[in-house]
Each structure stands twice: as C-alpha cells, then as structure tokens.
Amino acid sequence: MTNYFKTSLVIICLLSIVSVSCKKKNYTPVCNSTETITYTSHVKDIVQKECMNCHNAGSDNGEFHTYAKLSNITTNGIFENVTLIEKTMPKFGGISKDNQDILKCWIENGFPE
C-alpha cells in the first residue's frame, strides 16, 4: 500500500506540474473560409496598423516591417502568445475581433507569406 501511495503521489505531482506549465490556447479555431489568409494579402496591413508604432525598421523593440522580420517571432510562438493568448500586445489598444480572427487563421495555416 505504501508503494502504491508513493507512486500515486508522484503521478499527481507530475500531472499538476505539467498542467500548470502548459499554456493553453484560449480561443477557438476560426478558419472556415475558402480564402487563404496570407501575410501579403491580409496580415501585413494589420501589423502595419497595430504594431509599427513601436516595431518599425531600426526599432530596439524588434522590427516587424517585413515578413522575414516578423517570422522571427511567429515561428517560435511569441507573436501568437502576446497578441492572441495573453493579449499584452499591442500595448496601446487591442486588436479588433475581425483582425484577431484573421491572425488566428493565418497562424493555424502556418503563417503563409
């Protein structure tokens, strides 16, 4: 019985650590359009409007003025985390629901250029 108790306690602790350490997406997938959401045709305008005040060319805060520059934070999940999950960016106002849906779809489809 003590080995069973110890094993159960270890399993519960490990599951607790894993569940606390994993960030869960708090949004539902939205890609139900037949149109492919791309950086060039959709996302670029959102980034220019919402991010370029602080993240322009030469910025110490990170440069998002091109697809290549933005891809540095899209592929590692930072962009999704700060704009859609934690919603800490942009600092001066939120992204509209429609634009959030476009960004979600773009991310779900692998950030096509």
Side-chain angles (χ1 to χ4, degrees):
M1 184 89 166
T2 46
N3 283 342
Y4 176 77
F5 178 73
K6 288 178 184 177
T7 303
S8 297
L9 187 58
V10 168
I11 290 172
I12 290 170
C13 288
L14 288 173
L15 289 173
S16 297
I17 291 168
V18 169
S19 68
V20 169
S21 64
C22 294
K23 273 273 190 197
K24 190 175 181 183
K25 291 182 181 180
N26 63 349
Y27 62 82
T28 306
V30 294
C31 292
N32 46 6
S33 171
T34 56
E35 181 181 16
T36 300
I37 303 296
T38 66
Y39 173 81
T40 304
S41 62
H42 300 87
V43 175
K44 182 178 180 180
D45 291 339
I46 297 170
V47 170
Q48 286 180 342
K49 178 183 176 225
E50 304 290 351
C51 309
M52 295 307 289
N53 288 335
C54 299
H55 298 283
N56 53 18
S59 172
D60 292 336
N61 298 322
E63 300 178 29
F64 304 155
H65 63 284
T66 66
Y67 177 82
K69 296 287 186 178
L70 185 63
S71 67
N72 292 331
I73 65 161
T74 55
T75 55
N76 64 13
I78 292 174
F79 182 79
E80 177 182 23
N81 191 46
V82 299
T83 58
L84 300 173
I85 297 171
E86 293 181 5
K87 297 183 181 182
T88 55
M89 291 290 165
K91 286 196 182 239
F92 306 107
I95 299 172
S96 73
K97 172 80 169 93
D98 289 342
N99 285 344
Q100 286 179 33
D101 289 346
I102 290 169
L103 293 175
K104 290 173 192 175
C105 194
W106 180 61
I107 290 167
E108 289 169 19
N109 286 313
F111 320 102
E113 189 172 0

